[in-house]
Structure formats: C-alpha cells, structure tokens
Amino acid sequence: MTVLSECMGYLIRHLAEQIGDPGIAIVVVTVIVRLILLPLHKVQHEGMKQQTVKLSGCLISLLHLPLMLSLYHGIRLAIDSKTTTMLLPWVSSLLIRDQMLILPTITLCIQMLPQLFPYIRFFHSLHLQKAPVSMLVSMLVMNSIFVYAIPSGLGLYYFIQGLFSALEQFLYHLTDIQNGRAVVDVS
C-alpha cells in the first residue's frame, strides 16, 4: 500500500501544481479512481439484475477501503498543514476535520441517497430491494462516525466518491426504467 500511497501523493502534488488548488486535485484523482473502477461497478449492477453476483457489492466496497487509506496517506505526503482549497473556504487545512461540520453533513446525505432510491416512487417499477430500517439506521450511525472524524481532504474524496456513486446508481436505474427492465429482488 506504500507504493499506492506514494503514487497518490505524487499525483495529487503534480495536479495541485498544475491546477493551482490541492482540493481540485483531490477531486480529479477521485474521478480518475472512479472511472478506473467503473467497469467493476457495471458488473456489480448487471450481477444484481441477474442475481449472479450477490457478494460483488461488498467486494467492491471493500476495494474502496485500501484506496481511501492510500489517498489519506497520499494527501499527507502531498500537502502541508497550512494547505487549503477554494472548494472548502471555511476549512483552515485539508489535514484537519471540518470544524463547522458542513462537508461531513453533506457527505452523509449523499452517501445515504442511493439507499433511499427504493423508497422513491419514481423507482417503484424497478422493485428495488428496500433495506430494513434497522440497517439504514446502522449505516447512518457508522457513516456518521466515519465522516465526522476524517480530515477534510479525505472528506472531499468521500464526498465526490459518494456523489459519483449516487449519480451512477441513478443513471443505471433510469436506464432500466427507460428500457422497461425490472430489477430482481435479491433478498
């Protein structure tokens, strides 16, 4: 993981020098990572529809953990304690957590959004599996503990990753609706 952390740090530093803002560099790195992982997410989505890959969602989620850890260490290697970004003007450093809790709160909402799709009338024709309320509450608590504790630089990654994930899920479901396909309940 050290090699991956050093690569992430180099990429963030290089992009920050070219762009002029380390926050935007983190966003670009996040988009690059998501684009690289996009084929895996497509396989996950297709597998869920065909009920062939029940564990793929968990495995793909676990793949994000080493990437987040590498990015965290890469951010620490690439920027100093005084580094800020125009994306988060209220944050004094990307290496500390958001004291005003603005980014964590927005991130938490974005992270929970795909879990709420089955409850939205627009998606009812897809018969999406509804997560039990107890599971939603557990996810909310665990995500809250995580997003409120992480430094702002990593929070920016987590926010963009969640936004990308929610948009990706929305587009997959929208395509399914347009094609008249129903998702099989995999419970």
Side-chain angles (χ1 to χ4, degrees), residues 21-24 26-27 83-104 106-107 150-160:
D21 188 305
I24 296 174
I26 291 169
V27 170
T83 303
T84 62
T85 177
M86 68 179 184
L87 298 176
L88 307 171
W90 63 91
V91 174
S92 62
S93 171
L94 290 173
L95 296 178
I96 63 169
R97 66 184 186 89
D98 179 355
Q99 300 296 319
M100 296 179 73
L101 306 178
I102 296 170
L103 181 62
I106 295 170
T107 301
I150 60 177
S152 298
L154 191 58
L156 192 56
Y157 164 82
Y158 200 57
F159 168 74
I160 297 298

PDB file of all heavy atoms in Angstrom, residues 21-24 26-27 83-104 106-107 150-160:
ATOM      1  N   ASP A  21      -4.724  24.231  -7.107  1.00  0.00           N
ATOM      2  CA  ASP A  21      -5.573  24.019  -5.936  1.00  0.00           C
ATOM      3  C   ASP A  21      -5.563  22.534  -5.575  1.00  0.00           C
ATOM      4  O   ASP A  21      -5.994  21.702  -6.376  1.00  0.00           O
ATOM      5  CB  ASP A  21      -7.001  24.479  -6.229  1.00  0.00           C
ATOM      6  CG  ASP A  21      -7.885  24.479  -5.001  1.00  0.00           C
ATOM      7  OD1 ASP A  21      -7.996  23.428  -4.334  1.00  0.00           O
ATOM      8  OD2 ASP A  21      -8.478  25.533  -4.713  1.00  0.00           O
ATOM      9  N   PRO A  22      -5.062  22.185  -4.376  1.00  0.00           N
ATOM     10  CA  PRO A  22      -4.999  20.771  -3.998  1.00  0.00           C
ATOM     11  C   PRO A  22      -6.378  20.121  -3.838  1.00  0.00           C
ATOM     12  O   PRO A  22      -6.529  18.923  -4.043  1.00  0.00           O
ATOM     13  CB  PRO A  22      -4.230  20.759  -2.690  1.00  0.00           C
ATOM     14  CG  PRO A  22      -4.322  22.143  -2.175  1.00  0.00           C
ATOM     15  CD  PRO A  22      -4.484  23.049  -3.353  1.00  0.00           C
ATOM     16  N   GLY A  23      -7.389  20.895  -3.471  1.00  0.00           N
ATOM     17  CA  GLY A  23      -8.742  20.346  -3.353  1.00  0.00           C
ATOM     18  C   GLY A  23      -9.266  19.876  -4.699  1.00  0.00           C
ATOM     19  O   GLY A  23      -9.852  18.796  -4.820  1.00  0.00           O
ATOM     20  N   ILE A  24      -9.050  20.682  -5.718  1.00  0.00           N
ATOM     21  CA  ILE A  24      -9.469  20.290  -7.064  1.00  0.00           C
ATOM     22  C   ILE A  24      -8.649  19.085  -7.528  1.00  0.00           C
ATOM     23  O   ILE A  24      -9.171  18.192  -8.192  1.00  0.00           O
ATOM     24  CB  ILE A  24      -9.370  21.474  -8.043  1.00  0.00           C
ATOM     25  CG1 ILE A  24     -10.359  22.570  -7.615  1.00  0.00           C
ATOM     26  CG2 ILE A  24      -9.634  21.031  -9.481  1.00  0.00           C
ATOM     27  CD1 ILE A  24     -10.267  23.856  -8.398  1.00  0.00           C
ATOM     28  N   ILE A  26      -7.587  16.695  -5.615  1.00  0.00           N
ATOM     29  CA  ILE A  26      -8.198  15.537  -4.954  1.00  0.00           C
ATOM     30  C   ILE A  26      -9.463  15.111  -5.700  1.00  0.00           C
ATOM     31  O   ILE A  26      -9.703  13.922  -5.903  1.00  0.00           O
ATOM     32  CB  ILE A  26      -8.496  15.848  -3.468  1.00  0.00           C
ATOM     33  CG1 ILE A  26      -7.182  15.986  -2.690  1.00  0.00           C
ATOM     34  CG2 ILE A  26      -9.376  14.761  -2.842  1.00  0.00           C
ATOM     35  CD1 ILE A  26      -7.344  16.535  -1.293  1.00  0.00           C
ATOM     36  N   VAL A  27     -10.247  16.085  -6.142  1.00  0.00           N
ATOM     37  CA  VAL A  27     -11.454  15.778  -6.919  1.00  0.00           C
ATOM     38  C   VAL A  27     -11.078  15.068  -8.216  1.00  0.00           C
ATOM     39  O   VAL A  27     -11.693  14.055  -8.583  1.00  0.00           O
ATOM     40  CB  VAL A  27     -12.271  17.061  -7.206  1.00  0.00           C
ATOM     41  CG1 VAL A  27     -13.381  16.787  -8.205  1.00  0.00           C
ATOM     42  CG2 VAL A  27     -12.835  17.631  -5.917  1.00  0.00           C
ATOM     43  N   THR A  83      -2.277  23.896   4.036  1.00  0.00           N
ATOM     44  CA  THR A  83      -2.895  23.841   2.714  1.00  0.00           C
ATOM     45  C   THR A  83      -4.414  23.881   2.815  1.00  0.00           C
ATOM     46  O   THR A  83      -5.021  23.114   3.552  1.00  0.00           O
ATOM     47  CB  THR A  83      -2.455  22.559   1.972  1.00  0.00           C
ATOM     48  OG1 THR A  83      -1.037  22.542   1.892  1.00  0.00           O
ATOM     49  CG2 THR A  83      -3.028  22.514   0.576  1.00  0.00           C
ATOM     50  N   THR A  84      -5.008  24.773   2.031  1.00  0.00           N
ATOM     51  CA  THR A  84      -6.466  24.907   1.963  1.00  0.00           C
ATOM     52  C   THR A  84      -6.905  24.753   0.510  1.00  0.00           C
ATOM     53  O   THR A  84      -6.085  24.545  -0.374  1.00  0.00           O
ATOM     54  CB  THR A  84      -6.915  26.280   2.494  1.00  0.00           C
ATOM     55  OG1 THR A  84      -6.362  27.299   1.665  1.00  0.00           O
ATOM     56  CG2 THR A  84      -6.484  26.493   3.932  1.00  0.00           C
ATOM     57  N   THR A  85      -8.197  24.870   0.298  1.00  0.00           N
ATOM     58  CA  THR A  85      -8.736  24.800  -1.049  1.00  0.00           C
ATOM     59  C   THR A  85      -9.883  25.779  -1.189  1.00  0.00           C
ATOM     60  O   THR A  85     -10.602  26.051  -0.212  1.00  0.00           O
ATOM     61  CB  THR A  85      -9.224  23.379  -1.396  1.00  0.00           C
ATOM     62  OG1 THR A  85      -9.806  23.395  -2.707  1.00  0.00           O
ATOM     63  CG2 THR A  85     -10.242  22.858  -0.412  1.00  0.00           C
ATOM     64  N   MET A  86     -10.083  26.274  -2.397  1.00  0.00           N
ATOM     65  CA  MET A  86     -11.206  27.179  -2.622  1.00  0.00           C
ATOM     66  C   MET A  86     -12.535  26.434  -2.582  1.00  0.00           C
ATOM     67  O   MET A  86     -13.592  27.040  -2.435  1.00  0.00           O
ATOM     68  CB  MET A  86     -11.049  27.906  -3.954  1.00  0.00           C
ATOM     69  CG  MET A  86     -11.166  27.049  -5.172  1.00  0.00           C
ATOM     70  SD  MET A  86     -10.989  28.094  -6.618  1.00  0.00           S
ATOM     71  CE  MET A  86     -11.266  26.897  -7.892  1.00  0.00           C
ATOM     72  N   LEU A  87     -12.503  25.104  -2.673  1.00  0.00           N
ATOM     73  CA  LEU A  87     -13.719  24.314  -2.600  1.00  0.00           C
ATOM     74  C   LEU A  87     -14.301  24.287  -1.191  1.00  0.00           C
ATOM     75  O   LEU A  87     -15.501  24.085  -1.011  1.00  0.00           O
ATOM     76  CB  LEU A  87     -13.459  22.878  -3.066  1.00  0.00           C
ATOM     77  CG  LEU A  87     -12.992  22.708  -4.509  1.00  0.00           C
ATOM     78  CD1 LEU A  87     -12.679  21.254  -4.794  1.00  0.00           C
ATOM     79  CD2 LEU A  87     -14.024  23.250  -5.479  1.00  0.00           C
ATOM     80  N   LEU A  88     -13.443  24.434  -0.197  1.00  0.00           N
ATOM     81  CA  LEU A  88     -13.863  24.429   1.219  1.00  0.00           C
ATOM     82  C   LEU A  88     -13.278  25.661   1.910  1.00  0.00           C
ATOM     83  O   LEU A  88     -12.388  25.548   2.762  1.00  0.00           O
ATOM     84  CB  LEU A  88     -13.369  23.152   1.911  1.00  0.00           C
ATOM     85  CG  LEU A  88     -13.717  21.815   1.257  1.00  0.00           C
ATOM     86  CD1 LEU A  88     -12.979  20.671   1.933  1.00  0.00           C
ATOM     87  CD2 LEU A  88     -15.212  21.593   1.275  1.00  0.00           C
ATOM     88  N   PRO A  89     -13.770  26.859   1.586  1.00  0.00           N
ATOM     89  CA  PRO A  89     -13.141  28.080   2.119  1.00  0.00           C
ATOM     90  C   PRO A  89     -13.230  28.219   3.640  1.00  0.00           C
ATOM     91  O   PRO A  89     -12.446  28.957   4.232  1.00  0.00           O
ATOM     92  CB  PRO A  89     -13.916  29.204   1.421  1.00  0.00           C
ATOM     93  CG  PRO A  89     -15.190  28.604   0.962  1.00  0.00           C
ATOM     94  CD  PRO A  89     -14.924  27.144   0.730  1.00  0.00           C
ATOM     95  N   TRP A  90     -14.124  27.509   4.279  1.00  0.00           N
ATOM     96  CA  TRP A  90     -14.269  27.591   5.733  1.00  0.00           C
ATOM     97  C   TRP A  90     -13.301  26.660   6.469  1.00  0.00           C
ATOM     98  O   TRP A  90     -13.179  26.729   7.685  1.00  0.00           O
ATOM     99  CB  TRP A  90     -15.709  27.266   6.145  1.00  0.00           C
ATOM    100  CG  TRP A  90     -16.135  25.867   5.797  1.00  0.00           C
ATOM    101  CD1 TRP A  90     -16.031  24.761   6.580  1.00  0.00           C
ATOM    102  CD2 TRP A  90     -16.707  25.425   4.570  1.00  0.00           C
ATOM    103  NE1 TRP A  90     -16.502  23.648   5.923  1.00  0.00           N
ATOM    104  CE2 TRP A  90     -16.931  24.035   4.668  1.00  0.00           C
ATOM    105  CE3 TRP A  90     -17.058  26.059   3.378  1.00  0.00           C
ATOM    106  CZ2 TRP A  90     -17.478  23.283   3.633  1.00  0.00           C
ATOM    107  CZ3 TRP A  90     -17.613  25.304   2.351  1.00  0.00           C
ATOM    108  CH2 TRP A  90     -17.821  23.929   2.497  1.00  0.00           C
ATOM    109  N   VAL A  91     -12.595  25.804   5.739  1.00  0.00           N
ATOM    110  CA  VAL A  91     -11.672  24.842   6.344  1.00  0.00           C
ATOM    111  C   VAL A  91     -10.260  25.427   6.328  1.00  0.00           C
ATOM    112  O   VAL A  91      -9.776  25.868   5.285  1.00  0.00           O
ATOM    113  CB  VAL A  91     -11.719  23.494   5.569  1.00  0.00           C
ATOM    114  CG1 VAL A  91     -10.674  22.538   6.099  1.00  0.00           C
ATOM    115  CG2 VAL A  91     -13.103  22.889   5.666  1.00  0.00           C
ATOM    116  N   SER A  92      -9.593  25.406   7.482  1.00  0.00           N
ATOM    117  CA  SER A  92      -8.257  26.010   7.597  1.00  0.00           C
ATOM    118  C   SER A  92      -7.130  25.109   7.092  1.00  0.00           C
ATOM    119  O   SER A  92      -6.039  25.585   6.824  1.00  0.00           O
ATOM    120  CB  SER A  92      -7.990  26.413   9.042  1.00  0.00           C
ATOM    121  OG  SER A  92      -8.015  25.280   9.885  1.00  0.00           O
ATOM    122  N   SER A  93      -7.380  23.816   6.969  1.00  0.00           N
ATOM    123  CA  SER A  93      -6.379  22.873   6.458  1.00  0.00           C
ATOM    124  C   SER A  93      -7.069  21.601   5.990  1.00  0.00           C
ATOM    125  O   SER A  93      -8.018  21.132   6.632  1.00  0.00           O
ATOM    126  CB  SER A  93      -5.364  22.520   7.552  1.00  0.00           C
ATOM    127  OG  SER A  93      -4.529  21.458   7.131  1.00  0.00           O
ATOM    128  N   LEU A  94      -6.590  21.046   4.889  1.00  0.00           N
ATOM    129  CA  LEU A  94      -7.137  19.790   4.383  1.00  0.00           C
ATOM    130  C   LEU A  94      -6.734  18.602   5.252  1.00  0.00           C
ATOM    131  O   LEU A  94      -7.267  17.509   5.088  1.00  0.00           O
ATOM    132  CB  LEU A  94      -6.703  19.556   2.932  1.00  0.00           C
ATOM    133  CG  LEU A  94      -7.322  20.495   1.906  1.00  0.00           C
ATOM    134  CD1 LEU A  94      -6.692  20.272   0.534  1.00  0.00           C
ATOM    135  CD2 LEU A  94      -8.826  20.314   1.834  1.00  0.00           C
ATOM    136  N   LEU A  95      -5.806  18.822   6.174  1.00  0.00           N
ATOM    137  CA  LEU A  95      -5.346  17.737   7.037  1.00  0.00           C
ATOM    138  C   LEU A  95      -6.108  17.644   8.354  1.00  0.00           C
ATOM    139  O   LEU A  95      -5.846  16.757   9.158  1.00  0.00           O
ATOM    140  CB  LEU A  95      -3.843  17.887   7.326  1.00  0.00           C
ATOM    141  CG  LEU A  95      -2.930  17.758   6.100  1.00  0.00           C
ATOM    142  CD1 LEU A  95      -1.483  17.960   6.497  1.00  0.00           C
ATOM    143  CD2 LEU A  95      -3.127  16.425   5.403  1.00  0.00           C
ATOM    144  N   ILE A  96      -7.034  18.577   8.585  1.00  0.00           N
ATOM    145  CA  ILE A  96      -7.856  18.504   9.795  1.00  0.00           C
ATOM    146  C   ILE A  96      -9.322  18.354   9.392  1.00  0.00           C
ATOM    147  O   ILE A  96      -9.701  18.640   8.260  1.00  0.00           O
ATOM    148  CB  ILE A  96      -7.672  19.734  10.711  1.00  0.00           C
ATOM    149  CG1 ILE A  96      -8.133  21.012  10.010  1.00  0.00           C
ATOM    150  CG2 ILE A  96      -6.244  19.852  11.187  1.00  0.00           C
ATOM    151  CD1 ILE A  96      -8.228  22.209  10.928  1.00  0.00           C
ATOM    152  N   ARG A  97     -10.144  17.926  10.341  1.00  0.00           N
ATOM    153  CA  ARG A  97     -11.554  17.728  10.011  1.00  0.00           C
ATOM    154  C   ARG A  97     -12.273  19.068   9.969  1.00  0.00           C
ATOM    155  O   ARG A  97     -11.821  20.054  10.540  1.00  0.00           O
ATOM    156  CB  ARG A  97     -12.215  16.758  10.972  1.00  0.00           C
ATOM    157  CG  ARG A  97     -12.339  17.206  12.379  1.00  0.00           C
ATOM    158  CD  ARG A  97     -12.932  16.092  13.254  1.00  0.00           C
ATOM    159  NE  ARG A  97     -13.190  16.567  14.576  1.00  0.00           N
ATOM    160  CZ  ARG A  97     -14.322  17.132  14.968  1.00  0.00           C
ATOM    161  NH1 ARG A  97     -15.313  17.263  14.130  1.00  0.00           N
ATOM    162  NH2 ARG A  97     -14.474  17.548  16.203  1.00  0.00           N
ATOM    163  N   ASP A  98     -13.376  19.082   9.265  1.00  0.00           N
ATOM    164  CA  ASP A  98     -14.208  20.268   9.117  1.00  0.00           C
ATOM    165  C   ASP A  98     -14.864  20.584  10.460  1.00  0.00           C
ATOM    166  O   ASP A  98     -15.781  19.888  10.894  1.00  0.00           O
ATOM    167  CB  ASP A  98     -15.257  20.000   8.027  1.00  0.00           C
ATOM    168  CG  ASP A  98     -16.204  21.154   7.794  1.00  0.00           C
ATOM    169  OD1 ASP A  98     -16.138  22.157   8.521  1.00  0.00           O
ATOM    170  OD2 ASP A  98     -17.024  21.043   6.869  1.00  0.00           O
ATOM    171  N   GLN A  99     -14.402  21.634  11.115  1.00  0.00           N
ATOM    172  CA  GLN A  99     -14.911  22.003  12.451  1.00  0.00           C
ATOM    173  C   GLN A  99     -16.362  22.487  12.397  1.00  0.00           C
ATOM    174  O   GLN A  99     -17.089  22.378  13.381  1.00  0.00           O
ATOM    175  CB  GLN A  99     -14.032  23.087  13.074  1.00  0.00           C
ATOM    176  CG  GLN A  99     -12.587  22.671  13.257  1.00  0.00           C
ATOM    177  CD  GLN A  99     -12.428  21.531  14.241  1.00  0.00           C
ATOM    178  OE1 GLN A  99     -13.074  21.491  15.260  1.00  0.00           O
ATOM    179  NE2 GLN A  99     -11.560  20.587  13.914  1.00  0.00           N
ATOM    180  N   MET A 100     -16.793  23.014  11.240  1.00  0.00           N
ATOM    181  CA  MET A 100     -18.169  23.503  11.096  1.00  0.00           C
ATOM    182  C   MET A 100     -19.128  22.382  10.695  1.00  0.00           C
ATOM    183  O   MET A 100     -20.332  22.581  10.647  1.00  0.00           O
ATOM    184  CB  MET A 100     -18.220  24.646  10.091  1.00  0.00           C
ATOM    185  CG  MET A 100     -17.433  25.864  10.566  1.00  0.00           C
ATOM    186  SD  MET A 100     -17.469  27.207   9.386  1.00  0.00           S
ATOM    187  CE  MET A 100     -19.148  27.763   9.590  1.00  0.00           C
ATOM    188  N   LEU A 101     -18.573  21.203  10.371  1.00  0.00           N
ATOM    189  CA  LEU A 101     -19.338  20.002  10.032  1.00  0.00           C
ATOM    190  C   LEU A 101     -20.199  20.144   8.770  1.00  0.00           C
ATOM    191  O   LEU A 101     -21.145  19.385   8.573  1.00  0.00           O
ATOM    192  CB  LEU A 101     -20.199  19.552  11.211  1.00  0.00           C
ATOM    193  CG  LEU A 101     -19.457  19.333  12.534  1.00  0.00           C
ATOM    194  CD1 LEU A 101     -20.435  18.943  13.624  1.00  0.00           C
ATOM    195  CD2 LEU A 101     -18.367  18.298  12.376  1.00  0.00           C
ATOM    196  N   ILE A 102     -19.862  21.079   7.908  1.00  0.00           N
ATOM    197  CA  ILE A 102     -20.624  21.285   6.672  1.00  0.00           C
ATOM    198  C   ILE A 102     -20.362  20.139   5.699  1.00  0.00           C
ATOM    199  O   ILE A 102     -21.311  19.492   5.226  1.00  0.00           O
ATOM    200  CB  ILE A 102     -20.277  22.642   6.029  1.00  0.00           C
ATOM    201  CG1 ILE A 102     -20.699  23.773   6.966  1.00  0.00           C
ATOM    202  CG2 ILE A 102     -20.935  22.780   4.655  1.00  0.00           C
ATOM    203  CD1 ILE A 102     -20.193  25.148   6.569  1.00  0.00           C
ATOM    204  N   LEU A 103     -19.092  19.881   5.391  1.00  0.00           N
ATOM    205  CA  LEU A 103     -18.757  18.805   4.456  1.00  0.00           C
ATOM    206  C   LEU A 103     -19.216  17.437   4.967  1.00  0.00           C
ATOM    207  O   LEU A 103     -19.835  16.682   4.205  1.00  0.00           O
ATOM    208  CB  LEU A 103     -17.256  18.800   4.148  1.00  0.00           C
ATOM    209  CG  LEU A 103     -16.784  17.736   3.163  1.00  0.00           C
ATOM    210  CD1 LEU A 103     -17.435  17.926   1.792  1.00  0.00           C
ATOM    211  CD2 LEU A 103     -15.261  17.778   3.045  1.00  0.00           C
ATOM    212  N   PRO A 104     -18.985  17.102   6.240  1.00  0.00           N
ATOM    213  CA  PRO A 104     -19.460  15.793   6.709  1.00  0.00           C
ATOM    214  C   PRO A 104     -20.979  15.634   6.613  1.00  0.00           C
ATOM    215  O   PRO A 104     -21.469  14.556   6.262  1.00  0.00           O
ATOM    216  CB  PRO A 104     -19.003  15.739   8.172  1.00  0.00           C
ATOM    217  CG  PRO A 104     -17.866  16.675   8.250  1.00  0.00           C
ATOM    218  CD  PRO A 104     -18.160  17.759   7.256  1.00  0.00           C
ATOM    219  N   ILE A 106     -23.115  17.148   4.482  1.00  0.00           N
ATOM    220  CA  ILE A 106     -23.496  16.981   3.071  1.00  0.00           C
ATOM    221  C   ILE A 106     -23.076  15.602   2.581  1.00  0.00           C
ATOM    222  O   ILE A 106     -23.818  14.929   1.876  1.00  0.00           O
ATOM    223  CB  ILE A 106     -22.879  18.099   2.209  1.00  0.00           C
ATOM    224  CG1 ILE A 106     -23.460  19.457   2.609  1.00  0.00           C
ATOM    225  CG2 ILE A 106     -23.108  17.835   0.727  1.00  0.00           C
ATOM    226  CD1 ILE A 106     -22.752  20.637   1.986  1.00  0.00           C
ATOM    227  N   THR A 107     -21.878  15.174   2.964  1.00  0.00           N
ATOM    228  CA  THR A 107     -21.377  13.858   2.556  1.00  0.00           C
ATOM    229  C   THR A 107     -22.275  12.750   3.078  1.00  0.00           C
ATOM    230  O   THR A 107     -22.596  11.802   2.351  1.00  0.00           O
ATOM    231  CB  THR A 107     -19.934  13.655   3.057  1.00  0.00           C
ATOM    232  OG1 THR A 107     -19.115  14.685   2.503  1.00  0.00           O
ATOM    233  CG2 THR A 107     -19.397  12.293   2.661  1.00  0.00           C
ATOM    234  N   ILE A 150     -12.985  12.125   9.865  1.00  0.00           N
ATOM    235  CA  ILE A 150     -11.896  12.147   8.886  1.00  0.00           C
ATOM    236  C   ILE A 150     -11.464  13.574   8.542  1.00  0.00           C
ATOM    237  O   ILE A 150     -12.248  14.512   8.655  1.00  0.00           O
ATOM    238  CB  ILE A 150     -12.282  11.384   7.595  1.00  0.00           C
ATOM    239  CG1 ILE A 150     -13.509  12.006   6.924  1.00  0.00           C
ATOM    240  CG2 ILE A 150     -12.474   9.913   7.881  1.00  0.00           C
ATOM    241  CD1 ILE A 150     -13.894  11.342   5.613  1.00  0.00           C
ATOM    242  N   PRO A 151     -10.197  13.732   8.116  1.00  0.00           N
ATOM    243  CA  PRO A 151      -9.723  15.057   7.709  1.00  0.00           C
ATOM    244  C   PRO A 151     -10.472  15.540   6.454  1.00  0.00           C
ATOM    245  O   PRO A 151     -10.994  14.738   5.677  1.00  0.00           O
ATOM    246  CB  PRO A 151      -8.246  14.849   7.402  1.00  0.00           C
ATOM    247  CG  PRO A 151      -7.927  13.446   7.697  1.00  0.00           C
ATOM    248  CD  PRO A 151      -9.164  12.719   8.042  1.00  0.00           C
ATOM    249  N   SER A 152     -10.487  16.822   6.261  1.00  0.00           N
ATOM    250  CA  SER A 152     -11.257  17.431   5.167  1.00  0.00           C
ATOM    251  C   SER A 152     -10.804  16.965   3.790  1.00  0.00           C
ATOM    252  O   SER A 152     -11.630  16.827   2.889  1.00  0.00           O
ATOM    253  CB  SER A 152     -11.161  18.949   5.249  1.00  0.00           C
ATOM    254  OG  SER A 152     -11.718  19.395   6.452  1.00  0.00           O
ATOM    255  N   GLY A 153      -9.509  16.742   3.598  1.00  0.00           N
ATOM    256  CA  GLY A 153      -9.028  16.268   2.300  1.00  0.00           C
ATOM    257  C   GLY A 153      -9.621  14.919   1.944  1.00  0.00           C
ATOM    258  O   GLY A 153     -10.078  14.698   0.827  1.00  0.00           O
ATOM    259  N   LEU A 154      -9.632  14.020   2.905  1.00  0.00           N
ATOM    260  CA  LEU A 154     -10.238  12.702   2.687  1.00  0.00           C
ATOM    261  C   LEU A 154     -11.759  12.822   2.618  1.00  0.00           C
ATOM    262  O   LEU A 154     -12.415  12.116   1.855  1.00  0.00           O
ATOM    263  CB  LEU A 154      -9.826  11.737   3.800  1.00  0.00           C
ATOM    264  CG  LEU A 154     -10.161  10.273   3.586  1.00  0.00           C
ATOM    265  CD1 LEU A 154      -9.522   9.743   2.306  1.00  0.00           C
ATOM    266  CD2 LEU A 154      -9.709   9.459   4.765  1.00  0.00           C
ATOM    267  N   GLY A 155     -12.317  13.756   3.380  1.00  0.00           N
ATOM    268  CA  GLY A 155     -13.757  14.010   3.316  1.00  0.00           C
ATOM    269  C   GLY A 155     -14.177  14.472   1.933  1.00  0.00           C
ATOM    270  O   GLY A 155     -15.245  14.108   1.438  1.00  0.00           O
ATOM    271  N   LEU A 156     -13.328  15.268   1.300  1.00  0.00           N
ATOM    272  CA  LEU A 156     -13.600  15.715  -0.070  1.00  0.00           C
ATOM    273  C   LEU A 156     -13.634  14.527  -1.021  1.00  0.00           C
ATOM    274  O   LEU A 156     -14.525  14.418  -1.866  1.00  0.00           O
ATOM    275  CB  LEU A 156     -12.534  16.724  -0.488  1.00  0.00           C
ATOM    276  CG  LEU A 156     -12.768  17.523  -1.745  1.00  0.00           C
ATOM    277  CD1 LEU A 156     -14.086  18.269  -1.692  1.00  0.00           C
ATOM    278  CD2 LEU A 156     -11.619  18.503  -1.955  1.00  0.00           C
ATOM    279  N   TYR A 157     -12.682  13.587  -0.869  1.00  0.00           N
ATOM    280  CA  TYR A 157     -12.694  12.359  -1.664  1.00  0.00           C
ATOM    281  C   TYR A 157     -13.979  11.577  -1.404  1.00  0.00           C
ATOM    282  O   TYR A 157     -14.646  11.132  -2.339  1.00  0.00           O
ATOM    283  CB  TYR A 157     -11.480  11.482  -1.333  1.00  0.00           C
ATOM    284  CG  TYR A 157     -11.617  10.060  -1.824  1.00  0.00           C
ATOM    285  CD1 TYR A 157     -11.320   9.739  -3.144  1.00  0.00           C
ATOM    286  CD2 TYR A 157     -12.071   9.039  -0.995  1.00  0.00           C
ATOM    287  CE1 TYR A 157     -11.460   8.445  -3.618  1.00  0.00           C
ATOM    288  CE2 TYR A 157     -12.219   7.747  -1.450  1.00  0.00           C
ATOM    289  CZ  TYR A 157     -11.911   7.452  -2.765  1.00  0.00           C
ATOM    290  OH  TYR A 157     -12.069   6.168  -3.233  1.00  0.00           O
ATOM    291  N   TYR A 158     -14.327  11.391  -0.159  1.00  0.00           N
ATOM    292  CA  TYR A 158     -15.500  10.597   0.216  1.00  0.00           C
ATOM    293  C   TYR A 158     -16.787  11.235  -0.310  1.00  0.00           C
ATOM    294  O   TYR A 158     -17.701  10.547  -0.749  1.00  0.00           O
ATOM    295  CB  TYR A 158     -15.530  10.441   1.741  1.00  0.00           C
ATOM    296  CG  TYR A 158     -16.358   9.290   2.243  1.00  0.00           C
ATOM    297  CD1 TYR A 158     -16.108   7.987   1.830  1.00  0.00           C
ATOM    298  CD2 TYR A 158     -17.387   9.508   3.147  1.00  0.00           C
ATOM    299  CE1 TYR A 158     -16.871   6.939   2.305  1.00  0.00           C
ATOM    300  CE2 TYR A 158     -18.150   8.458   3.626  1.00  0.00           C
ATOM    301  CZ  TYR A 158     -17.891   7.176   3.200  1.00  0.00           C
ATOM    302  OH  TYR A 158     -18.652   6.133   3.666  1.00  0.00           O
ATOM    303  N   PHE A 159     -16.843  12.568  -0.289  1.00  0.00           N
ATOM    304  CA  PHE A 159     -17.995  13.288  -0.826  1.00  0.00           C
ATOM    305  C   PHE A 159     -18.121  13.067  -2.333  1.00  0.00           C
ATOM    306  O   PHE A 159     -19.191  12.716  -2.830  1.00  0.00           O
ATOM    307  CB  PHE A 159     -17.875  14.786  -0.520  1.00  0.00           C
ATOM    308  CG  PHE A 159     -18.856  15.627  -1.274  1.00  0.00           C
ATOM    309  CD1 PHE A 159     -20.195  15.637  -0.929  1.00  0.00           C
ATOM    310  CD2 PHE A 159     -18.446  16.391  -2.349  1.00  0.00           C
ATOM    311  CE1 PHE A 159     -21.111  16.402  -1.634  1.00  0.00           C
ATOM    312  CE2 PHE A 159     -19.347  17.163  -3.059  1.00  0.00           C
ATOM    313  CZ  PHE A 159     -20.684  17.167  -2.702  1.00  0.00           C
ATOM    314  N   ILE A 160     -17.028  13.273  -3.063  1.00  0.00           N
ATOM    315  CA  ILE A 160     -17.062  13.115  -4.528  1.00  0.00           C
ATOM    316  C   ILE A 160     -17.342  11.664  -4.886  1.00  0.00           C
ATOM    317  O   ILE A 160     -18.107  11.373  -5.813  1.00  0.00           O
ATOM    318  CB  ILE A 160     -15.742  13.607  -5.171  1.00  0.00           C
ATOM    319  CG1 ILE A 160     -15.558  15.104  -4.911  1.00  0.00           C
ATOM    320  CG2 ILE A 160     -15.703  13.301  -6.656  1.00  0.00           C
ATOM    321  CD1 ILE A 160     -16.642  15.994  -5.497  1.00  0.00           C
TER     322      ILE A 160
END
